[in-house]
Amino acid sequence: MTTFTDPRAAAAAEPQPQPAGKIPEHRRRTFGQWFRHKGWRHVVGVVTTLFAVFPLIYVLSAALNSNGTMVGSNALFSQIDGGNFEALFTNPSRPFGRWFINTMVIGVVTSAATVFLGALAAYAFSRMRFTGRRFSLLTLLILQMFPQLLAVVAIFLMLNAITDIVPWLGLGSQLGLIMVYLGGALGVNTYLMYGFFNTVPKSLDEAARIDGASHVQVFFTIILPLVTPILAVVGLLAFIGLSSEFVIASVVLTDPDSQTLAVGLYSYVAQQRSENWGVFAAGAVLAAVPVMALFLFLQKYITNGLVAGSVKG
Amino acid sequence: MSTLAPPDRSATLPRKKPSSHSDSTFGLLVKITLLGLVDAFAVYVMITLFFQEKWLILIFAAAVTLLINWIYLRKGGLPAKYLAPGIFFLVLFQVFVMLYSGYVAFTNYGDGHNSTKADAVSAIQLSAQQRVPDSPAYRVSILERDGELHLLATDPDGDTSVGATGSPLEATDEAVTDSTGRAVELEGYRTLGFAEILTNQADILAVTVPFSNDPEDGSLKTSDGSSAYVYRPSLSFDEATSTFTNLETGATYTDSGEGSFTSADGEQLSTGWKVNVGFDNFAKAFSDQNIRGPLVQVVLWTFTFAIVSVLSTFALGLFLANAFNLSDLRGKRTYRILMILPYAFPAFLAGLVWSGLLNPEFGFVNNTFFGGADIPWLTDPLLAKVSVLVVNLWLGFPYMFLVCTGALQSLPEEVNEAARMDGASAWRTFTAIKLPLLLVSVAPLLIASFAFNFNNFNVIYMLTDGGPRFDNTTANVGHTDILITMVYEIAFGTGVGRDYGLASALSIIIFIIVAVISAISFRQTKALEDIN
């Protein structure tokens, strides 16, 4: 999806067998030799891990410390309680619960629709030959280089105009936002799916066609079940991207009740960063957990996809 | 990016629709229902457009509806049936909005210039209201319906009428009057009590009920919720000459041709309208001192930021990939999981969390690592840039680590061995053999990463919000702003008035830069591939 063309979106593709590892050497060595061969790698590993992890530990500690302010959060894990989480869910002017639900609803609906639209297009590109096919594929490739957020001003003005005609699709409407996001539904997703669809042997659908199945039946009952992995990966990557999308959501959603986590949590610290720090940290932890869980769950596919993507070029 | 697979001619399917018997009735039913829903919505939209007299959009909507029906109702044309839904959204919210940006870039669209001239004229007439001297007092009651405040007015002759802001007074004889003859209640409305009037004073002050659709007739306003007076515009509009005249000073304001009314001595009425200004926005970007200075610095920093981000993340990622590309290293998996955590953490949160860590006064970094020093991580121009780069390194290196690990593992082992046989050192093997081979496969990803960082809004906006601000401009732009955050600031920022035209012009410039760079770099990678 072009809005969130994060390099990781260019990642997923079919898994690839890993090359066999090297044969381990078994020799007794002095510490110096060990250090030159392996030890420094551990030093690098520990240092990098600390760099990678300490902000996350910090935010977790701040979330659990109901002291609340930024200064109070500096002594890691000096105090552990759930006061911030309680404050997070009891502030009527900043309805965190609503933001969470909004983000989930917008994310799930958009990524489901994205997967469906992308799969329809990929089916056409993979299984049918028509004039303009190569041209369309190339156009998709080129279009995805221009992220939707570049046109955020025009998107705002267009939704503003739609408000006059169909108010429930215009500014402030989540449905309108979903529609805007769907503008990026083709693009890179179709590309990923297209590649995967091509790996499903065409003889399968030919056989089904001979047995009298219609093209719709072939699509739903034969192709889709066979390509579920890529559908899941595209859907989840889209979801992860959407949950971080700030620019368009901040322009479209004006009412606090309809906002997403990205817009809402920003508003928490936009003005008084240090006063609301503890509550913000609690919100950050809750917002990050589902995304990180999804990511780690998907890690294998994403990594394999990155590998495949980088190798194929 | 992934290569286009050459079309597989041998697998071309016969594209004949199978006999209609095999299409289940269920499928047909679904299709008709969906198409019916789409058409119903389209008709609803078109009726609304008809009543709003927006003919151009109406014709366009009708054409699109016809096209959709044609695609799904005709026999054959199967690919179009599968592609249409995605392409519909793509065209509307990706292609059209880009073209629309192009159009807006050539207008003065923005605060004070957001509608037609006719709208501007009536807005000016409404805003410049002054109480008519010796106007008769109307006794009023404040009514409420559906959250909107209405005035129920009893004129000096005892006739009653009702109206609200934007809906002119209408005579009514169904009002209930009290003993003094003042109308106090009307069916369908709720009358506000004294206490409510006190608490809603600001809203009541804002109620302006026109006598008719012509603003020159004046309107009723009340300040205390019990008596209202006649207000007339202090500026009178002459349609023949299209000029405003100030009734008190006699100054005339004429159409300047640039979307506003201007007096002879250069004074401008605050409300203007949208006109095409040609290349003015582009000219402004490159000549207006207030914009040009910051713009040059922002463009330079955008390139620096994108290039350094790609190089630093790639260097660290490649180094780590090399360090951990050893099959019998203990704890390799643990390191790997922990190191990719930043990549999984939502980027907007990362910016905000780091802004707290680096806060000069209260932040963890200054207070814990530097023993309470006041290092201005985010407020000193140079340090802020360094901070942004470090945070982006934190966010981006895991991706490069994963990519490089994959690419290294896919290099053929023989190459490595051959080099060792020839007596090449490990460093030389790496620079002369592994790196060039690696670059072939990761170069496209580096370009993609560059393009992504070029518009990496979240990190900048959340971490520094572009600050610290430039001091040579009134615009809310600062030392760490990149082009896309500058666009956002100009279009939606709180600093100065919103200027959609200028913001769009800047977006167009980003468009062109991205297009040129992508085109050149992809050609370069092709060349790289050919060499190998």
Side-chain angles (χ1 to χ4, degrees), chain A residues 5 8 18-19 41-42 51 74 148 164 215 250 273 310 313, chain B residues 1 52 82 93 323 335 343 355 362 367 409 441 452 488:
Chain A
T5 311
R8 75 175 76 144
Q18 298 280 343
R41 297 174 205 259
H42 285 290
F51 173 56
N74 282 338
Q148 250 182 333
D164 293 341
H215 58 90
S250 75
R273 202 153 285 198
S310 68
Chain B
M1 301 269 104
Q52 296 182 353
Y82 280 93
F93 292 105
Y335 287 137
Y343 186 40
S355 80
F362 315 115
N367 282 334
Q409 286 177 349
S441 54
F452 172 74
Y488 189 83

PDB file of all heavy atoms in Angstrom, chain A residues 5 8 18-19 41-42 51 74 148 164 215 250 273 310 313, chain B residues 1 52 82 93 323 335 343 355 362 367 409 441 452 488:
ATOM      1  N   THR A   5       4.301   2.846   2.378  1.00  0.00           N
ATOM      2  CA  THR A   5       5.376   2.095   1.751  1.00  0.00           C
ATOM      3  C   THR A   5       6.589   2.186   2.621  1.00  0.00           C
ATOM      4  O   THR A   5       7.386   3.073   2.555  1.00  0.00           O
ATOM      5  CB  THR A   5       5.701   2.619   0.362  1.00  0.00           C
ATOM      6  OG1 THR A   5       4.497   2.743  -0.326  1.00  0.00           O
ATOM      7  CG2 THR A   5       6.559   1.630  -0.383  1.00  0.00           C
ATOM      8  N   ARG A   8       9.506  -2.551   4.715  1.00  0.00           N
ATOM      9  CA  ARG A   8       9.145  -3.895   5.126  1.00  0.00           C
ATOM     10  C   ARG A   8       7.959  -4.417   4.333  1.00  0.00           C
ATOM     11  O   ARG A   8       7.754  -5.607   4.237  1.00  0.00           O
ATOM     12  CB  ARG A   8       8.852  -3.933   6.617  1.00  0.00           C
ATOM     13  CG  ARG A   8       7.527  -3.330   7.023  1.00  0.00           C
ATOM     14  CD  ARG A   8       7.271  -3.517   8.493  1.00  0.00           C
ATOM     15  NE  ARG A   8       8.042  -2.610   9.299  1.00  0.00           N
ATOM     16  CZ  ARG A   8       7.575  -2.069  10.432  1.00  0.00           C
ATOM     17  NH1 ARG A   8       6.408  -2.361  10.891  1.00  0.00           N
ATOM     18  NH2 ARG A   8       8.317  -1.229  11.127  1.00  0.00           N
ATOM     19  N   GLN A  18      16.832 -22.033   3.507  1.00  0.00           N
ATOM     20  CA  GLN A  18      18.068 -21.394   3.932  1.00  0.00           C
ATOM     21  C   GLN A  18      19.248 -22.251   3.481  1.00  0.00           C
ATOM     22  O   GLN A  18      19.171 -23.469   3.503  1.00  0.00           O
ATOM     23  CB  GLN A  18      18.107 -21.298   5.454  1.00  0.00           C
ATOM     24  CG  GLN A  18      16.996 -20.450   6.036  1.00  0.00           C
ATOM     25  CD  GLN A  18      17.306 -18.982   5.935  1.00  0.00           C
ATOM     26  OE1 GLN A  18      18.460 -18.616   5.721  1.00  0.00           O
ATOM     27  NE2 GLN A  18      16.311 -18.140   6.041  1.00  0.00           N
ATOM     28  N   PRO A  19      20.339 -21.600   3.087  1.00  0.00           N
ATOM     29  CA  PRO A  19      21.520 -22.386   2.731  1.00  0.00           C
ATOM     30  C   PRO A  19      22.059 -23.098   3.972  1.00  0.00           C
ATOM     31  O   PRO A  19      21.932 -22.593   5.077  1.00  0.00           O
ATOM     32  CB  PRO A  19      22.511 -21.352   2.227  1.00  0.00           C
ATOM     33  CG  PRO A  19      21.985 -20.041   2.621  1.00  0.00           C
ATOM     34  CD  PRO A  19      20.534 -20.170   2.905  1.00  0.00           C
ATOM     35  N   ARG A  41      32.332 -10.690  18.712  1.00  0.00           N
ATOM     36  CA  ARG A  41      30.949 -10.737  18.205  1.00  0.00           C
ATOM     37  C   ARG A  41      29.963 -10.635  19.355  1.00  0.00           C
ATOM     38  O   ARG A  41      28.913 -10.014  19.245  1.00  0.00           O
ATOM     39  CB  ARG A  41      30.717 -12.024  17.428  1.00  0.00           C
ATOM     40  CG  ARG A  41      31.600 -12.128  16.193  1.00  0.00           C
ATOM     41  CD  ARG A  41      31.461 -13.466  15.506  1.00  0.00           C
ATOM     42  NE  ARG A  41      32.659 -13.783  14.733  1.00  0.00           N
ATOM     43  CZ  ARG A  41      32.747 -13.641  13.408  1.00  0.00           C
ATOM     44  NH1 ARG A  41      31.716 -13.215  12.720  1.00  0.00           N
ATOM     45  NH2 ARG A  41      33.859 -13.919  12.783  1.00  0.00           N
ATOM     46  N   HIS A  42      30.320 -11.256  20.493  1.00  0.00           N
ATOM     47  CA  HIS A  42      29.441 -11.150  21.653  1.00  0.00           C
ATOM     48  C   HIS A  42      29.434  -9.734  22.190  1.00  0.00           C
ATOM     49  O   HIS A  42      28.385  -9.224  22.594  1.00  0.00           O
ATOM     50  CB  HIS A  42      29.883 -12.137  22.740  1.00  0.00           C
ATOM     51  CG  HIS A  42      29.531 -13.549  22.422  1.00  0.00           C
ATOM     52  ND1 HIS A  42      28.237 -14.006  22.428  1.00  0.00           N
ATOM     53  CD2 HIS A  42      30.287 -14.612  22.046  1.00  0.00           C
ATOM     54  CE1 HIS A  42      28.208 -15.294  22.087  1.00  0.00           C
ATOM     55  NE2 HIS A  42      29.454 -15.680  21.843  1.00  0.00           N
ATOM     56  N   PHE A  51      21.564  -0.963  23.036  1.00  0.00           N
ATOM     57  CA  PHE A  51      21.117   0.197  22.265  1.00  0.00           C
ATOM     58  C   PHE A  51      19.696  -0.034  21.768  1.00  0.00           C
ATOM     59  O   PHE A  51      18.842   0.861  21.819  1.00  0.00           O
ATOM     60  CB  PHE A  51      22.076   0.413  21.091  1.00  0.00           C
ATOM     61  CG  PHE A  51      21.651   1.478  20.111  1.00  0.00           C
ATOM     62  CD1 PHE A  51      21.403   2.777  20.533  1.00  0.00           C
ATOM     63  CD2 PHE A  51      21.513   1.185  18.761  1.00  0.00           C
ATOM     64  CE1 PHE A  51      21.030   3.756  19.631  1.00  0.00           C
ATOM     65  CE2 PHE A  51      21.148   2.162  17.857  1.00  0.00           C
ATOM     66  CZ  PHE A  51      20.895   3.451  18.291  1.00  0.00           C
ATOM     67  N   ASN A  74      12.716   8.521  35.562  1.00  0.00           N
ATOM     68  CA  ASN A  74      14.109   8.278  35.227  1.00  0.00           C
ATOM     69  C   ASN A  74      14.756   7.146  36.012  1.00  0.00           C
ATOM     70  O   ASN A  74      15.679   6.508  35.534  1.00  0.00           O
ATOM     71  CB  ASN A  74      14.927   9.563  35.393  1.00  0.00           C
ATOM     72  CG  ASN A  74      14.705  10.477  34.203  1.00  0.00           C
ATOM     73  OD1 ASN A  74      14.307  10.006  33.143  1.00  0.00           O
ATOM     74  ND2 ASN A  74      14.923  11.760  34.380  1.00  0.00           N
ATOM     75  N   GLN A 148       0.869   8.222  -0.812  1.00  0.00           N
ATOM     76  CA  GLN A 148      -0.353   9.025  -0.721  1.00  0.00           C
ATOM     77  C   GLN A 148      -0.161  10.264   0.129  1.00  0.00           C
ATOM     78  O   GLN A 148      -0.796  11.277  -0.117  1.00  0.00           O
ATOM     79  CB  GLN A 148      -1.451   8.165  -0.097  1.00  0.00           C
ATOM     80  CG  GLN A 148      -2.531   7.784  -1.069  1.00  0.00           C
ATOM     81  CD  GLN A 148      -3.598   6.987  -0.358  1.00  0.00           C
ATOM     82  OE1 GLN A 148      -3.340   6.325   0.633  1.00  0.00           O
ATOM     83  NE2 GLN A 148      -4.809   7.063  -0.860  1.00  0.00           N
ATOM     84  N   ASP A 164     -19.851  18.034   1.735  1.00  0.00           N
ATOM     85  CA  ASP A 164     -21.046  18.764   1.295  1.00  0.00           C
ATOM     86  C   ASP A 164     -22.052  17.857   0.613  1.00  0.00           C
ATOM     87  O   ASP A 164     -23.245  18.132   0.591  1.00  0.00           O
ATOM     88  CB  ASP A 164     -20.653  19.877   0.308  1.00  0.00           C
ATOM     89  CG  ASP A 164     -19.840  20.952   0.987  1.00  0.00           C
ATOM     90  OD1 ASP A 164     -19.893  21.013   2.227  1.00  0.00           O
ATOM     91  OD2 ASP A 164     -19.152  21.709   0.282  1.00  0.00           O
ATOM     92  N   HIS A 215     -15.278 -18.995 -13.348  1.00  0.00           N
ATOM     93  CA  HIS A 215     -14.060 -18.291 -12.929  1.00  0.00           C
ATOM     94  C   HIS A 215     -14.151 -17.838 -11.488  1.00  0.00           C
ATOM     95  O   HIS A 215     -13.163 -17.800 -10.772  1.00  0.00           O
ATOM     96  CB  HIS A 215     -13.778 -17.110 -13.862  1.00  0.00           C
ATOM     97  CG  HIS A 215     -14.904 -16.131 -13.929  1.00  0.00           C
ATOM     98  ND1 HIS A 215     -15.003 -15.080 -13.086  1.00  0.00           N
ATOM     99  CD2 HIS A 215     -15.995 -16.088 -14.753  1.00  0.00           C
ATOM    100  CE1 HIS A 215     -16.106 -14.392 -13.371  1.00  0.00           C
ATOM    101  NE2 HIS A 215     -16.725 -14.990 -14.372  1.00  0.00           N
ATOM    102  N   SER A 250      -4.619  12.227  10.940  1.00  0.00           N
ATOM    103  CA  SER A 250      -4.700  13.451  11.742  1.00  0.00           C
ATOM    104  C   SER A 250      -5.462  14.537  10.998  1.00  0.00           C
ATOM    105  O   SER A 250      -6.078  15.398  11.611  1.00  0.00           O
ATOM    106  CB  SER A 250      -3.298  13.953  12.083  1.00  0.00           C
ATOM    107  OG  SER A 250      -2.701  14.541  10.950  1.00  0.00           O
ATOM    108  N   ARG A 273       4.443  17.664  27.320  1.00  0.00           N
ATOM    109  CA  ARG A 273       5.105  16.386  27.167  1.00  0.00           C
ATOM    110  C   ARG A 273       5.510  15.792  28.519  1.00  0.00           C
ATOM    111  O   ARG A 273       5.354  14.621  28.770  1.00  0.00           O
ATOM    112  CB  ARG A 273       6.324  16.544  26.254  1.00  0.00           C
ATOM    113  CG  ARG A 273       6.739  15.250  25.622  1.00  0.00           C
ATOM    114  CD  ARG A 273       7.438  15.466  24.308  1.00  0.00           C
ATOM    115  NE  ARG A 273       6.511  15.827  23.249  1.00  0.00           N
ATOM    116  CZ  ARG A 273       6.807  15.727  21.961  1.00  0.00           C
ATOM    117  NH1 ARG A 273       7.965  15.287  21.569  1.00  0.00           N
ATOM    118  NH2 ARG A 273       5.934  16.068  21.048  1.00  0.00           N
ATOM    119  N   SER A 310      15.340  -9.501  -1.437  1.00  0.00           N
ATOM    120  CA  SER A 310      16.650  -8.929  -1.726  1.00  0.00           C
ATOM    121  C   SER A 310      17.403  -9.782  -2.746  1.00  0.00           C
ATOM    122  O   SER A 310      18.172  -9.268  -3.543  1.00  0.00           O
ATOM    123  CB  SER A 310      17.462  -8.820  -0.442  1.00  0.00           C
ATOM    124  OG  SER A 310      17.781 -10.104   0.026  1.00  0.00           O
ATOM    125  N   GLY A 313      15.772  -9.281  -6.214  1.00  0.00           N
ATOM    126  CA  GLY A 313      16.005  -7.919  -6.704  1.00  0.00           C
ATOM    127  C   GLY A 313      14.765  -7.325  -7.259  1.00  0.00           C
ATOM    128  O   GLY A 313      14.359  -7.481  -8.356  1.00  0.00           O
TER     129      GLY A 313
ATOM    130  N   MET B   1      12.984  -3.513  -7.047  1.00  0.00           N
ATOM    131  CA  MET B   1      11.778  -4.258  -6.688  1.00  0.00           C
ATOM    132  C   MET B   1      11.684  -5.533  -7.526  1.00  0.00           C
ATOM    133  O   MET B   1      12.504  -5.783  -8.380  1.00  0.00           O
ATOM    134  CB  MET B   1      10.538  -3.398  -6.974  1.00  0.00           C
ATOM    135  CG  MET B   1      10.536  -2.102  -6.229  1.00  0.00           C
ATOM    136  SD  MET B   1       9.709  -2.259  -4.639  1.00  0.00           S
ATOM    137  CE  MET B   1      11.067  -2.286  -3.534  1.00  0.00           C
ATOM    138  N   GLN B  52     -27.791  20.398  -5.370  1.00  0.00           N
ATOM    139  CA  GLN B  52     -26.754  21.398  -5.097  1.00  0.00           C
ATOM    140  C   GLN B  52     -26.249  22.049  -6.379  1.00  0.00           C
ATOM    141  O   GLN B  52     -25.345  22.868  -6.339  1.00  0.00           O
ATOM    142  CB  GLN B  52     -25.593  20.745  -4.353  1.00  0.00           C
ATOM    143  CG  GLN B  52     -26.005  20.220  -2.985  1.00  0.00           C
ATOM    144  CD  GLN B  52     -24.845  19.627  -2.225  1.00  0.00           C
ATOM    145  OE1 GLN B  52     -23.754  19.495  -2.759  1.00  0.00           O
ATOM    146  NE2 GLN B  52     -25.083  19.265  -0.986  1.00  0.00           N
ATOM    147  N   TYR B  82     -12.493  -8.012 -12.500  1.00  0.00           N
ATOM    148  CA  TYR B  82     -11.658  -8.252 -11.323  1.00  0.00           C
ATOM    149  C   TYR B  82     -10.845  -7.020 -10.939  1.00  0.00           C
ATOM    150  O   TYR B  82     -10.477  -6.834  -9.796  1.00  0.00           O
ATOM    151  CB  TYR B  82     -10.717  -9.440 -11.579  1.00  0.00           C
ATOM    152  CG  TYR B  82     -11.410 -10.759 -11.403  1.00  0.00           C
ATOM    153  CD1 TYR B  82     -11.999 -11.413 -12.475  1.00  0.00           C
ATOM    154  CD2 TYR B  82     -11.495 -11.346 -10.144  1.00  0.00           C
ATOM    155  CE1 TYR B  82     -12.656 -12.614 -12.312  1.00  0.00           C
ATOM    156  CE2 TYR B  82     -12.146 -12.546  -9.961  1.00  0.00           C
ATOM    157  CZ  TYR B  82     -12.727 -13.180 -11.053  1.00  0.00           C
ATOM    158  OH  TYR B  82     -13.377 -14.359 -10.874  1.00  0.00           O
ATOM    159  N   PHE B  93      -8.276   8.029  -5.217  1.00  0.00           N
ATOM    160  CA  PHE B  93      -7.537   8.495  -4.052  1.00  0.00           C
ATOM    161  C   PHE B  93      -6.029   8.436  -4.220  1.00  0.00           C
ATOM    162  O   PHE B  93      -5.290   8.620  -3.270  1.00  0.00           O
ATOM    163  CB  PHE B  93      -7.964   7.721  -2.813  1.00  0.00           C
ATOM    164  CG  PHE B  93      -9.360   8.039  -2.405  1.00  0.00           C
ATOM    165  CD1 PHE B  93     -10.380   7.139  -2.634  1.00  0.00           C
ATOM    166  CD2 PHE B  93      -9.667   9.259  -1.841  1.00  0.00           C
ATOM    167  CE1 PHE B  93     -11.679   7.450  -2.286  1.00  0.00           C
ATOM    168  CE2 PHE B  93     -10.959   9.576  -1.493  1.00  0.00           C
ATOM    169  CZ  PHE B  93     -11.967   8.662  -1.719  1.00  0.00           C
ATOM    170  N   ALA B 323      28.993  -9.879  11.486  1.00  0.00           N
ATOM    171  CA  ALA B 323      29.415 -10.358  12.796  1.00  0.00           C
ATOM    172  C   ALA B 323      28.655 -11.611  13.204  1.00  0.00           C
ATOM    173  O   ALA B 323      29.203 -12.503  13.833  1.00  0.00           O
ATOM    174  CB  ALA B 323      29.216  -9.248  13.827  1.00  0.00           C
ATOM    175  N   TYR B 335      20.181 -12.660  20.329  1.00  0.00           N
ATOM    176  CA  TYR B 335      20.627 -11.348  19.853  1.00  0.00           C
ATOM    177  C   TYR B 335      19.696 -10.855  18.751  1.00  0.00           C
ATOM    178  O   TYR B 335      19.284  -9.706  18.726  1.00  0.00           O
ATOM    179  CB  TYR B 335      22.040 -11.428  19.274  1.00  0.00           C
ATOM    180  CG  TYR B 335      23.145 -11.589  20.298  1.00  0.00           C
ATOM    181  CD1 TYR B 335      24.180 -12.475  20.068  1.00  0.00           C
ATOM    182  CD2 TYR B 335      23.167 -10.829  21.457  1.00  0.00           C
ATOM    183  CE1 TYR B 335      25.206 -12.631  20.978  1.00  0.00           C
ATOM    184  CE2 TYR B 335      24.192 -10.973  22.374  1.00  0.00           C
ATOM    185  CZ  TYR B 335      25.207 -11.884  22.131  1.00  0.00           C
ATOM    186  OH  TYR B 335      26.214 -12.018  23.029  1.00  0.00           O
ATOM    187  N   TYR B 343      12.470  -2.388  15.199  1.00  0.00           N
ATOM    188  CA  TYR B 343      11.799  -2.409  13.907  1.00  0.00           C
ATOM    189  C   TYR B 343      10.319  -2.708  14.082  1.00  0.00           C
ATOM    190  O   TYR B 343       9.470  -2.225  13.329  1.00  0.00           O
ATOM    191  CB  TYR B 343      12.464  -3.487  13.046  1.00  0.00           C
ATOM    192  CG  TYR B 343      12.016  -3.572  11.624  1.00  0.00           C
ATOM    193  CD1 TYR B 343      11.763  -2.427  10.888  1.00  0.00           C
ATOM    194  CD2 TYR B 343      11.869  -4.800  11.002  1.00  0.00           C
ATOM    195  CE1 TYR B 343      11.375  -2.524   9.576  1.00  0.00           C
ATOM    196  CE2 TYR B 343      11.485  -4.901   9.694  1.00  0.00           C
ATOM    197  CZ  TYR B 343      11.230  -3.763   8.978  1.00  0.00           C
ATOM    198  OH  TYR B 343      10.834  -3.859   7.691  1.00  0.00           O
ATOM    199  N   SER B 355      11.823  11.416  22.165  1.00  0.00           N
ATOM    200  CA  SER B 355      11.773  12.838  22.504  1.00  0.00           C
ATOM    201  C   SER B 355      11.778  12.999  24.020  1.00  0.00           C
ATOM    202  O   SER B 355      12.293  13.977  24.540  1.00  0.00           O
ATOM    203  CB  SER B 355      10.567  13.507  21.876  1.00  0.00           C
ATOM    204  OG  SER B 355       9.413  13.249  22.638  1.00  0.00           O
ATOM    205  N   PHE B 362      14.394  17.067  31.632  1.00  0.00           N
ATOM    206  CA  PHE B 362      13.887  15.957  32.433  1.00  0.00           C
ATOM    207  C   PHE B 362      14.287  14.604  31.868  1.00  0.00           C
ATOM    208  O   PHE B 362      13.966  13.581  32.433  1.00  0.00           O
ATOM    209  CB  PHE B 362      12.352  16.010  32.502  1.00  0.00           C
ATOM    210  CG  PHE B 362      11.796  17.357  32.775  1.00  0.00           C
ATOM    211  CD1 PHE B 362      11.023  18.013  31.822  1.00  0.00           C
ATOM    212  CD2 PHE B 362      12.049  17.984  33.987  1.00  0.00           C
ATOM    213  CE1 PHE B 362      10.507  19.268  32.091  1.00  0.00           C
ATOM    214  CE2 PHE B 362      11.530  19.227  34.249  1.00  0.00           C
ATOM    215  CZ  PHE B 362      10.760  19.877  33.302  1.00  0.00           C
ATOM    216  N   ASN B 367      19.864  12.930  32.403  1.00  0.00           N
ATOM    217  CA  ASN B 367      19.875  12.759  33.859  1.00  0.00           C
ATOM    218  C   ASN B 367      20.623  11.520  34.302  1.00  0.00           C
ATOM    219  O   ASN B 367      21.213  11.509  35.368  1.00  0.00           O
ATOM    220  CB  ASN B 367      18.442  12.708  34.389  1.00  0.00           C
ATOM    221  CG  ASN B 367      17.845  14.106  34.452  1.00  0.00           C
ATOM    222  OD1 ASN B 367      18.585  15.075  34.573  1.00  0.00           O
ATOM    223  ND2 ASN B 367      16.551  14.203  34.338  1.00  0.00           N
ATOM    224  N   GLN B 409      23.846 -14.784   3.237  1.00  0.00           N
ATOM    225  CA  GLN B 409      23.676 -16.231   3.270  1.00  0.00           C
ATOM    226  C   GLN B 409      23.423 -16.812   1.890  1.00  0.00           C
ATOM    227  O   GLN B 409      23.672 -17.986   1.659  1.00  0.00           O
ATOM    228  CB  GLN B 409      22.539 -16.603   4.222  1.00  0.00           C
ATOM    229  CG  GLN B 409      22.960 -16.446   5.674  1.00  0.00           C
ATOM    230  CD  GLN B 409      21.826 -16.731   6.631  1.00  0.00           C
ATOM    231  OE1 GLN B 409      20.676 -16.857   6.215  1.00  0.00           O
ATOM    232  NE2 GLN B 409      22.152 -16.818   7.906  1.00  0.00           N
ATOM    233  N   SER B 441      22.188  -7.246  -5.200  1.00  0.00           N
ATOM    234  CA  SER B 441      20.872  -7.662  -4.737  1.00  0.00           C
ATOM    235  C   SER B 441      20.206  -6.640  -3.823  1.00  0.00           C
ATOM    236  O   SER B 441      18.993  -6.539  -3.794  1.00  0.00           O
ATOM    237  CB  SER B 441      20.946  -9.031  -4.059  1.00  0.00           C
ATOM    238  OG  SER B 441      21.913  -8.983  -3.043  1.00  0.00           O
ATOM    239  N   PHE B 452      11.771   6.127   0.960  1.00  0.00           N
ATOM    240  CA  PHE B 452      10.962   6.108   2.179  1.00  0.00           C
ATOM    241  C   PHE B 452      11.442   7.182   3.157  1.00  0.00           C
ATOM    242  O   PHE B 452      10.650   7.935   3.713  1.00  0.00           O
ATOM    243  CB  PHE B 452      11.034   4.730   2.817  1.00  0.00           C
ATOM    244  CG  PHE B 452      10.406   4.653   4.165  1.00  0.00           C
ATOM    245  CD1 PHE B 452       9.027   4.663   4.291  1.00  0.00           C
ATOM    246  CD2 PHE B 452      11.169   4.593   5.309  1.00  0.00           C
ATOM    247  CE1 PHE B 452       8.429   4.613   5.537  1.00  0.00           C
ATOM    248  CE2 PHE B 452      10.581   4.548   6.558  1.00  0.00           C
ATOM    249  CZ  PHE B 452       9.211   4.559   6.673  1.00  0.00           C
ATOM    250  N   TYR B 488       3.222  19.858   5.492  1.00  0.00           N
ATOM    251  CA  TYR B 488       2.183  19.664   6.505  1.00  0.00           C
ATOM    252  C   TYR B 488       2.023  20.920   7.341  1.00  0.00           C
ATOM    253  O   TYR B 488       0.915  21.355   7.640  1.00  0.00           O
ATOM    254  CB  TYR B 488       2.573  18.475   7.380  1.00  0.00           C
ATOM    255  CG  TYR B 488       1.517  18.006   8.336  1.00  0.00           C
ATOM    256  CD1 TYR B 488       0.510  17.143   7.927  1.00  0.00           C
ATOM    257  CD2 TYR B 488       1.530  18.410   9.667  1.00  0.00           C
ATOM    258  CE1 TYR B 488      -0.449  16.695   8.804  1.00  0.00           C
ATOM    259  CE2 TYR B 488       0.572  17.968  10.556  1.00  0.00           C
ATOM    260  CZ  TYR B 488      -0.415  17.117  10.123  1.00  0.00           C
ATOM    261  OH  TYR B 488      -1.368  16.672  11.008  1.00  0.00           O
TER     262      TYR B 488
END
